[in-house]
Amino acid sequence: MAHDLFLAAQAAMAKAYAPYSKFPVGAALRTADGKIFSGANIEVASYPEGWCAETTALGHYIMGGGGEITEIAVTAERMARITPCGGCRQRLAEFARPDTKLFLCDESGVVETVTMGAMLPYGFAGDILK
Ligand code: THU
């Protein structure tokens, strides 16, 4: 059920704090046990200090106990089919798997489904650092 995850991302987007870019984004992650963690972008007057919706969602996911991420949805009010930025692809890949589904959305729902592996091919994996 991709649409409920889109709705969670959309609800999160409504809470975005994006007074500078005026580009609200929402993200939602579903875990194998059925929990949904969501987040919005949060900007800061010192622009580089702001962060993305996916990053907020990951913070909620970790603080909520983590677990296996099965699906991710991302949506933006002003862009159909938004894709996560490069930094967020790396952050999501830290906790997701290459076959984890990523739903790219427009204002009314999922328009394309891709995998994390397709979003971040040849990504840096930290296994050797552990
Ligand atoms: N943004 C996200 O929240 N996620 C992305 O994957 C791309 C960009 C936010 C960051 C910033 O607040 C605004 O979009 C414009 O770049």
Side-chain angles (χ1 to χ4, degrees):
M1 261 249 296
H3 193 69
D4 68 326
L5 204 60
F6 158 72
L7 291 175
Q10 193 180 47
M13 180 171 66
K15 296 182 179 171
Y17 177 73
Y20 306 108
S21 72
K22 297 182 172 49
F23 189 83
V25 183
L29 320 171
R30 194 196 319 271
T31 51
D33 57 1
K35 290 185 189 146
I36 292 178
F37 302 99
S38 63
N41 51 332
I42 300 174
E43 298 182 347
V44 174
S46 177
Y47 298 162
E49 305 307 329
W51 64 92
C52 290
E54 296 89 329
T55 302
T56 304
L58 282 169
H60 285 145
Y61 154 79
I62 289 292
M63 297 314 293
E68 182 194 344
I69 297 177
T70 56
E71 295 174 332
I72 302 165
V74 188
T75 191
E77 197 174 276
R78 289 169 48 200
M79 183 187 284
R81 199 184 154 281
I82 185 173
T83 53
C85 79
C88 285
R89 292 178 200 200
Q90 184 76 37
R91 291 188 192 98
L92 290 168
E94 181 75 25
F95 303 102
R97 293 195 324 224
D99 64 350
T100 302
K101 283 182 190 160
L102 179 60
F103 302 130
L104 311 177
C105 309
D106 67 8
E107 75 283 355
S108 52
V110 178
V111 293
E112 191 171 340
T113 302
V114 296
T115 62
M116 277 304 303
M119 275 287 109
L120 188 65
Y122 298 98
F124 178 72
D127 304 353
I128 200 170
L129 304 175
K130 289 180 184 164

